[in-house]
Amino acid sequence: MKTLFERLGGNSGISSIVEDTVNEHMKNPHVNARFLPFLERPEHLSIIKQHTVDFFAAGSGGPNQYTGKDMVTAHTGMNISPEEYMHVVDDIFIALDKNNIDEDSKKEVLSILWSLKDMIIGK
């Protein structure tokens, strides 16, 4: 059986999903205020995207090493609401659909996202 990393398309597939997710965040009026300022700092946005790729690749069985901050530290001070978190999850699912990810893999991604919510919401 393939790993989730393989079913997401490996590094190139996960990179495409992250790119599409960030594009969805930029369009989503419920969360875009947090993301649009990064358009003025493309080098910082590029670092965030690479950390996100490494985080999901490492967490889904890929060879990547995640060297970014832990979830609590990365989100402390952002005061992300439960509603914002759900909009972010919705954007991720739009990106998963756009990248033709199968239903079982999407359920695994949802399980991972759900396991992270208490480390992200309200910090």
Side-chain angles (χ1 to χ4, degrees):
M1 180 173 177
K2 290 183 174 182
T3 65
L4 180 59
F5 173 77
E6 292 167 328
R7 287 180 278 135
L8 294 175
N11 279 316
S12 67
I14 292 173
S15 294
S16 178
I17 292 166
V18 168
E19 188 71 32
D20 290 339
T21 298
V22 170
N23 289 337
E24 291 301 322
H25 292 343
M26 297 288 184
K27 295 186 297 188
N28 187 332
H30 300 283
V31 298
N32 66 4
R34 294 184 181 274
F35 293 92
L36 288 174
F38 290 118
L39 293 176
E40 296 174 13
R41 299 174 54 206
E43 68 288 339
H44 189 64
L45 182 58
S46 179
I47 291 169
I48 290 171
K49 287 178 182 177
Q50 187 58 54
H51 279 309
T52 306
V53 169
D54 290 341
F55 181 82
F56 276 101
S60 62
N64 305 48
Q65 285 198 327
Y66 175 68
T67 59
K69 299 174 184 174
D70 65 77
M71 287 296 101
V72 172
T73 302
H75 296 90
T76 295
M78 296 178 71
N79 198 27
I80 296 170
S81 71
E83 293 78 18
E84 288 175 306
Y85 189 78
M86 292 311 299
H87 283 287
V88 166
V89 170
D90 289 344
D91 290 347
I92 293 169
F93 271 72
I94 291 170
L96 292 171
D97 286 339
K98 188 173 179 180
N99 285 274
N100 301 313
I101 302 302
D102 66 90
E103 291 300 318
D104 286 341
S105 298
K106 288 194 294 190
K107 288 177 186 173
E108 281 189 58
V109 170
L110 180 60
S111 177
I112 293 168
L113 295 171
W114 202 249
S115 74
L116 298 173
K117 69 179 176 51
D118 291 337
M119 292 181 259
I120 296 172
I121 296 172
K123 301 296 178 207

